[in-house]
Amino acid sequence: MSNRELIVLGTSSAVPTRSRNHNGYFLRWDDQGVLFDPGEGTQRQMRLAGVSAHDITWMCVTHFHGDHCLGLPGIIQRIARDGVPHEVGAVYPASGEDYWLRLRHATAFADTSVITPHPVQGAVATLPLPGLTLTARPLSHPVDAYGYRLDEPSGRRMIPSELSRYGISGAQVGRLHREGRLGEVTLDQVSEPRVGQSMAFIMDTRMCDNVHALAEGVDLLVIESTFLSSEAAVAREYGHLTAAQAGQVAAAAGVRKLVLTHFSERYVHDDERRFGEEAAKAYSGDIVVARDLMRVPVPKRRR
Ligand SMILES: [Zn+2]
């Protein structure tokens, strides 16, 4: 059984509200745990959501505005305090190295050696994660910002009834998978194609080509929709998207589930419905207007 879900830790943009913490998202993907854009208070939100420092294997920061990274010092110091033994990769825009170093060493603490920086730069950067490929592409925001995409490679899924028909079991299954055949039986005879799953995380950007490139065909799209259409001019000026634009991206890219988040503090609780409605004008799929501590499963694998 795969265990793949997004745990929403915070959903506000620059200013938290009574019901929304600053940004923060934890993606559980089998034995990997990717923490995206930890804003202030993320450590406590993790506590409330039942996510521990030991669960984190990667941290990805889209850009160095405070609502996307001021939680890093607390998370890093917690990783150190809890003695997390495994490597934790940290991905962030290379041009923000100074900010990274300040946040990495923000205060006095007994440091850890497990955190490995992976600054990204250029038109596209890829990194291998266990069982996944991470792709970073630059977005359009007043400071350098990168969106991220995770792709599981396609593979093949064994068909139990076919395996038993040929009398293949135990260690033979693994051998057939690795070597492509076992005696007269080929892998194709006892398996079927398995489409890899994918997700994209797109924060703080105007509409640009890379928004579409990152979102193309993903199962789960987590995307900022800071504003409603009534504030479209403000959105453009400050480098943000509206809910309607997020819906247009999801429709054009053919995504399977759309998660809207990073809401301006100007909106009150009753506005929440309007974000979903604006996105639904273009996108007919599954829309989630994120709330803090919500859990969103990655849609079941395409067959
Ligand atoms: Zn932001």
Side-chain angles (χ1 to χ4, degrees), residues 205-207 211-212 221 223-233 235-236 240-253 255 258-263 267 271-285 287-289:
T205 182
R206 296 176 188 86
M207 201 65 123
V211 169
H212 293 285
L221 172 62
I223 188 165
E224 70 126 313
S225 63
T226 312
F227 296 108
L228 290 167
S229 296
S230 44
E231 282 73 51
R236 206 165 31 248
H240 285 294
L241 297 172
T242 63
Q245 288 176 313
Q248 288 157 15
V249 170
V255 313
L258 169 64
V259 179
L260 303 176
T261 185
H262 189 274
F263 306 111
Y267 300 110
D271 292 323
E272 189 176 296
R273 176 180 48 81
R274 294 168 61 201
F275 282 87
E277 287 169 0
E278 285 204 354
K281 281 184 186 153
Y283 176 67
S284 58
I287 299 173
V288 177
V289 180

Side-chain angles (χ1 to χ4, degrees), residues 137-140 202 205-216 249:
R137 291 179 186 273
L139 298 170
S140 175
I202 299 174
T205 182
R206 296 176 188 86
M207 201 65 123
C208 64
D209 289 349
N210 278 341
V211 169
H212 293 285
L214 287 162
E216 185 57 39
V249 170

Side-chain angles (χ1 to χ4, degrees), residues 8-25 36-40 42 45 63 65-69 201 203-204 223-227 240 260-267 275 289-293:
V8 178
L9 300 170
T11 54
S12 186
S13 52
V15 178
T17 70
R18 289 172 67 87
S19 60
R20 297 187 186 278
N21 197 74
H22 276 295
N23 271 291
Y25 311 85
F36 289 102
D37 278 4
E40 277 175 75
T42 295
Q45 296 294 92
H63 65 295
H65 277 151
D67 52 324
H68 299 262
C69 62
F201 183 80
M203 287 295 133
D204 291 29
I223 188 165
E224 70 126 313
S225 63
T226 312
F227 296 108
H240 285 294
L260 303 176
T261 185
H262 189 274
F263 306 111
S264 165
E265 75 276 13
R266 75 184 61 202
Y267 300 110
F275 282 87
V289 180
R291 286 186 185 162
D292 289 20
L293 305 179

Side-chain angles (χ1 to χ4, degrees), residues 98-280:
D98 286 351
Y99 297 119
W100 162 254
L101 290 173
R102 279 180 227 161
L103 295 161
R104 172 70 182 80
H105 305 285
T107 72
F109 70 108
D111 208 347
T112 170
S113 61
V114 301
I115 294 168
T116 308
H118 297 273
V120 291
Q121 57 190 326
V124 59
T126 58
L127 275 172
L129 272 59
L132 285 166
T133 301
L134 175 76
T135 305
R137 291 179 186 273
L139 298 170
S140 175
H141 198 53
V143 299
D144 252 9
Y146 276 75
Y148 297 107
R149 174 182 173 123
L150 287 167
D151 284 284
E152 176 191 34
S154 294
R156 296 195 70 85
R157 181 198 346 253
M158 294 297 188
I159 306 168
S161 58
E162 292 299 311
L163 288 173
S164 57
R165 190 148 81 90
Y166 290 100
I168 299 167
S169 62
Q172 291 176 316
V173 179
R175 204 174 131 206
L176 173 57
H177 208 152
R178 278 193 308 278
E179 297 176 8
R181 70 181 307 133
L182 190 73
E184 293 300 302
V185 182
T186 65
L187 182 58
D188 288 1
Q189 287 174 286
V190 293
S191 67
E192 58 189 359
R194 188 206 64 179
V195 179
Q197 288 188 298
S198 54
M199 76 83 69
F201 183 80
I202 299 174
M203 287 295 133
D204 291 29
T205 182
R206 296 176 188 86
M207 201 65 123
C208 64
D209 289 349
N210 278 341
V211 169
H212 293 285
L214 287 162
E216 185 57 39
V218 294
D219 294 288
L220 181 69
L221 172 62
V222 183
I223 188 165
E224 70 126 313
S225 63
T226 312
F227 296 108
L228 290 167
S229 296
S230 44
E231 282 73 51
V234 183
R236 206 165 31 248
E237 183 182 350
Y238 290 96
H240 285 294
L241 297 172
T242 63
Q245 288 176 313
Q248 288 157 15
V249 170
V255 313
R256 297 178 65 209
K257 188 177 281 196
L258 169 64
V259 179
L260 303 176
T261 185
H262 189 274
F263 306 111
S264 165
E265 75 276 13
R266 75 184 61 202
Y267 300 110
V268 296
H269 185 76
D270 287 349
D271 292 323
E272 189 176 296
R273 176 180 48 81
R274 294 168 61 201
F275 282 87
E277 287 169 0
E278 285 204 354

